[in-house]
Amino acid sequence: MTNASSITVLYFAQVAELTGTRQESWPLSAEISVADWVESLVARYPQLAPLQRRLKIAVNQEYAHKQTPIHVGDEVAVFEPVTGG
């Protein structure tokens, strides 16, 4: 669960494999855009750099755009696009 100054981050599929975790709490002291947060994500996990342009983000279970704000207490999911046939 999050505390008063963090977000919960969920990782799925290859993203979870590359980060070595499926869930973690990230400190967050102020609102941040998805685009800026993804930059922080790749700084923390450089192995995600090749996927950076393809990563999809959901905030509180809703697809997020680069400008979508992330607030303290939010749940952020990180995944790759899913294709099927």
Side-chain angles (χ1 to χ4, degrees):
M1 281 294 175
T2 60
N3 64 35
S5 60
S6 67
I7 59 174
T8 298
V9 183
L10 308 174
Y11 302 105
F12 295 92
Q14 184 178 5
V15 179
E17 292 174 22
L18 291 171
T19 61
T21 188
R22 294 207 172 272
Q23 179 176 335
E24 66 181 330
S25 181
W26 272 56
L28 186 70
S29 58
E31 177 182 300
I32 188 171
S33 71
V34 164
D36 289 341
W37 183 81
V38 168
E39 291 292 327
S40 296
L41 175 69
V42 172
R44 180 180 247 181
Y45 296 109
Q47 62 272 33
L48 294 178
L51 305 178
Q52 184 173 356
R53 296 178 64 99
R54 295 193 334 244
L55 290 177
K56 299 298 180 191
I57 307 296
V59 177
N60 298 324
Q61 300 181 5
E62 290 192 19
Y63 177 75
H65 299 279
K66 291 181 183 199
Q67 303 81 14
T68 300
I70 299 172
H71 302 96
V72 169
D74 283 350
E75 177 188 86
V76 178
V78 185
F79 53 96
E80 288 186 275
V82 178
T83 60

